Amino acid sequence: MPTAAPVTTQSGGGAVTGMPPDLSSMTPVEAADRLFNRVMTAVAAGDSTEAQQFMPMAIAAYDRARPLNTDGLFHLSMLQRTAMQLEAALVTAREILEANSDHLLGLSAAAKAAVELGRSDIAAVYYEHVLDVYESQIEQDIPEYVDHAPITDNLRSEAEAFLSGR
């Protein structure tokens, strides 16, 4: 009987090589986060087969882990958008904004989903709000802003570029 090949996954602080983790030994959120990382790593590496294989599991894991905090909702919205479940991605992003209407990642997720849905007027509202609150939000000690720094660091420029191109 063949054994599972070692895998390299990224989790919280760097690469880990070894056997896949036993998701059943984790909390629902930990399992969902692991699956999110696996899918997004596969997407970034251009491995559509692995991304498609684990995408439904990752989305289902976040649904099972509800209620989610804003970071979990952001992850779910990203997964939904990547899976082309654009209406669901927008609904999930709006859940973040119900809790905090100024949340940068919620605004980013909502704007991107709206763009992909072809609703540029709605996207413009979200991007304008990004510009209104960016400085005050980025100064706050919000862990998911640090965890998703590539997104938050470029969000103002993204919003400005979108709005200037209208």
Side-chain angles (χ1 to χ4, degrees):
M1 175 175 203
T3 58
V7 296
T8 302
T9 59
Q10 192 164 355
S11 162
V16 177
T17 302
M19 300 304 290
D22 177 11
L23 297 179
S24 67
S25 68
M26 299 177 188
T27 68
V29 170
E30 288 171 336
D33 286 345
R34 280 291 184 110
L35 287 164
F36 168 81
N37 287 337
R38 185 161 192 167
V39 169
M40 290 301 148
T41 299
V43 168
D47 187 346
S48 62
T49 301
E50 183 169 334
Q52 289 174 1
Q53 178 183 358
F54 288 95
M55 181 74 70
M57 287 184 265
I59 291 171
Y62 278 107
D63 285 335
R64 281 191 305 277
R66 286 183 177 272
L68 297 170
N69 64 14
T70 52
D71 192 48
L73 289 169
F74 177 68
H75 290 177
L76 178 56
S77 182
M78 282 185 66
L79 289 167
Q80 291 165 327
R81 206 174 91 245
T82 303
M84 297 309 292
Q85 298 173 5
L86 302 176
E87 289 289 345
L90 184 55
V91 167
T92 301
R94 287 177 173 161
E95 285 183 64
I96 298 168
L97 299 174
E98 287 171 13
N100 175 357
S101 62
D102 296 340
H103 196 279
L104 293 177
L105 294 174
L107 292 166
S108 173
K112 288 177 181 177
V115 166
E116 291 183 30
L117 283 164
R119 299 178 187 161
S120 60
D121 290 345
I122 294 171
V125 170
Y126 290 123
Y127 279 131
E128 287 169 359
H129 196 79
V130 164
L131 297 179
D132 291 342
V133 301
Y134 186 84
E135 285 302 321
S136 64
Q137 282 292 297
I138 210 69
E139 291 173 358
Q140 296 182 33
D141 189 22
I142 298 176
E144 60 262 31
Y145 290 0
V146 174
D147 292 345
H148 298 287
I151 294 168
T152 54
D153 289 351
N154 294 310
L155 186 53
R156 183 192 330 210
S157 297
E158 178 184 316
E160 290 169 343
F162 177 85
L163 293 169
S164 71
R166 293 194 69 215

